[in-house]
Amino acid sequence: MTVTTDVPIDPWPAPTADRPVEATVTMPGSKSATNRALILAAISDGTSRLTRPLRSRDTLLMAAALGGLGVAVVDDHDDWLVHGQFPLRRVPAARIDCGNAGTVARFAPALATLVHGDVVLDGDPRMRDRPLTPLLDALRTLGARIDGDRMPLTVHGRGCLAGGEVTVDASASSQLVSGLLLAAPRYDHGVTVRHVGSRLPSWPHLEMTVAALRAAGAAVEATVEATVETEVVGPTGSGACWSVGPGPLVAHDHIIEPDISSASAFLAAAAATGGRVVLADWPDRTVQPGRMLPDLLAAMGCMVTHTAAGLEVRGPGRLNGIDVDLSDYGEAAPTLAALAVLADSPSRLRGIAHLRLQETDRLGALATELGRLGAAITVTDDGLAISPAPLAGARLDPRADHRLAMAYAVVGLVVPGVLIDDIATTGKTVPQFPRLWAEMLGIGMPGALRW
């Protein structure tokens, strides 16, 4: 297999596979799980150990944010020790860099209300355009003093927050609800949050929040709750409600699951090349939205098997198009779009209008950038319509979006001459992605790729 390993940072020549990929991959920890665990450990009584946490730009920003609020996050070999405390220390003036991390921007403000002092939150230019107002208005209703509706903004922490009942239109992001729930046990009266508005996206991430809270000892009630067994996920509109009671949180050890959403690009390597990839340590039961990935790959013609070694994906001779509602798993859209442009029949990706408000406008970016290769993609009201078309190499801009960069790498396995700008943006969730991608392709016999 021909692989370039000495790659320039900008642009990066995506390696083309000259035979089916054959590899075993072990993923790093989940970004979503790591950042939820960090927040809850910070306001628990005592020291928590995070085992196999993800160390990437987003999680390092979260750890630094906690440090700015007076909570120590300390390396202990591969683990993190979080020295939780409540009440939080007095912080005369703190600045939190949210980068382009939605979890930091939407989880930190609720936590900042619990310090004594002013906390300024800012981030990358794109973060200043991402939706925060519903969260900030909810915090004001609960008793917070906050200047500004977009970054940079200032939270005037008073060491406590009354809490109570609030309504939130979280149709732009489920993180707007999670941010409130994670700090709620330390509010005087807890929090009851009711979603109002259109369909709530990324429902499984709220499952992750509820599960993390319960593991830390919080009392949580949810009126609409998904189950792993039935895969019934998410309300179609208003009415979902969560109540978190006030009370102490218990410091405990968190074993962070592998990031099975970021694994989608590596499993897609098998789908795109007709190869075989095994994802080691696939959880037997998980609330991560990535649990939906096996069925999606199977619908495109892959053979997916749960084995003792992990989740095995074997790619077909020809990929099928797919027509699917991704409202609960919008993270998969870039990877599925990459596979869809390689498929032999049309695809429709639905229920993902909220992706316009991610790290970039993912819908517009996918249509424009993959269109440079010759892909026939139309942006619809709620997603993408993709038809088969001849493809040729071109230079693609991921627009500072990690999932787009990885998706373009998938297309590059089959389409020679794909150049990707700013491949370093993958460090948001997958550190050292270019080297690891090249190592996967360089395996001449079944082997193991570890992080």
Side-chain angles (χ1 to χ4, degrees):
M1 187 169 294
T2 302
V3 178
T4 301
T5 55
D6 183 17
V7 293
I9 294 176
D10 189 9
W12 180 63
T16 302
D18 57 14
R19 61 177 175 266
V21 172
E22 182 83 12
T24 295
V25 177
T26 299
M27 294 299 295
S30 161
K31 175 200 74 174
S32 297
T34 299
N35 277 352
R36 283 164 173 77
L38 282 169
I39 288 284
L40 291 170
I43 52 175
S44 294
D45 295 325
T47 298
S48 297
R49 178 180 294 273
L50 275 58
T51 300
R52 294 199 296 271
L54 174 66
R55 284 180 170 85
S56 69
R57 188 187 185 210
D58 277 20
T59 61
L60 292 172
L61 285 169
M62 183 68 84
L66 297 184
L69 299 179
V71 176
V73 180
V74 180
D75 287 327
D76 185 32
H77 301 288
D78 291 336
D79 297 348
W80 266 336
L81 297 179
V82 184
H83 298 294
Q85 56 184 299
F86 194 81
L88 294 174
R89 297 175 186 169
R90 180 173 295 278
V91 180
R95 297 190 66 89
I96 292 177
D97 177 11
C98 300
N100 202 9
T103 49
V104 182
R106 291 161 183 152
F107 295 176
L111 191 66
T113 65
L114 296 173
V115 304
H116 290 275
D118 293 345
V119 180
V120 176
L121 296 97
D122 201 359
D124 293 354
R126 173 62 179 173
M127 183 54 71
R128 297 176 183 181
D129 296 328
R130 297 179 69 179
L132 284 175
T133 301
L135 169 66
L136 302 178
D137 285 348
L139 288 170
R140 292 181 182 110
T141 299
L142 297 173
R145 288 184 55 219
I146 302 174
D147 294 339
D149 289 321
R150 292 182 180 271
M151 293 188 176
L153 58 91
T154 302
V155 177
H156 300 285
R158 291 176 287 183
C160 63
L161 199 69
E165 297 186 7
V166 70
T167 59
V168 178
D169 181 354
S171 54
S173 173
S174 65
Q175 292 172 352
L176 300 170
V177 173
S178 287
L180 293 169
L181 300 182
L182 289 167
R186 293 305 197 175
Y187 293 168
D188 294 345
H189 303 293
V191 165
T192 296
V193 182
R194 186 176 301 277
H195 166 62
V196 295
S198 58
R199 185 179 179 117
L200 183 61
S202 304
W203 178 264
H205 283 111
L206 283 162
E207 291 184 273
M208 294 183 72
T209 297
V210 169
L213 280 160
R214 288 175 175 162
V220 187
E221 294 182 5
T223 58
V224 181
E225 197 165 5
T227 63
V228 174
E229 291 83 0
T230 63
E231 295 294 333
V232 175
V233 289
T236 57
S238 301
C241 182
W242 301 262
S243 292
V244 180
L249 297 177
V250 180
H252 66 288
D253 292 349
H254 305 253
I255 299 176
I256 306 298
E257 289 183 352
D259 188 340
I260 59 178
S261 287
S262 291
S264 66
F266 291 86
L267 295 176
T273 67
R276 172 182 172 273
V277 171
V278 176
L279 181 66
D281 301 326
W282 184 275
D284 292 333
R285 287 174 52 85
T286 181
V287 293
Q288 288 189 61
R291 69 179 189 250
M292 304 174 200
L293 185 61
D295 287 344
L296 294 170
L297 293 175
M300 299 193 80
C302 296
M303 181 179 295
V304 183
T305 309
H306 292 270
T307 72
L311 183 78
E312 178 185 276
V313 174
R314 292 181 179 269
R318 294 178 67 86
L319 281 167
N320 304 326
I322 191 172
D323 189 331
V324 63
D325 184 336
L326 293 175
S327 54
D328 291 320
Y329 187 25
E331 290 171 318
T335 298
L336 292 180
L339 292 177
V341 302
L342 304 175
D344 61 4
S345 57
S347 295
R348 286 292 300 271
L349 308 183
R350 308 175 186 272
I352 49 175
H354 62 284
L355 296 190
R356 293 184 173 92
L357 302 172
Q358 299 293 109
E359 283 82 347
T360 187
D361 173 359
R362 285 181 175 169
L363 301 184
L366 285 165
T368 298
E369 298 301 322
L370 292 176
R372 299 185 197 282
L373 304 176
I377 304 180
T378 301
V379 178
T380 66
D381 288 344
D382 71 339
L384 298 171
I386 303 170
S387 298
L391 303 177
R395 183 168 176 167
L396 308 183
D397 181 1
R399 307 186 189 188
D401 191 307
H402 56 132
R403 298 207 186 278
L404 298 192
M406 289 186 274
Y408 301 157
V410 172
V411 179
L413 293 172
V414 178
V415 180
V418 173
L419 302 174
I420 304 174
D421 288 332
D422 188 23
I423 194 64
T425 197
T426 53
K428 179 179 172 71
T429 48
V430 184
Q432 300 178 326
F433 174 83
R435 178 179 64 79
L436 296 164
W437 192 254
E439 286 180 4
M440 178 182 70
L441 297 176
I443 297 173
M445 61 184 66
L449 172 63
R450 292 193 172 270
W451 303 77

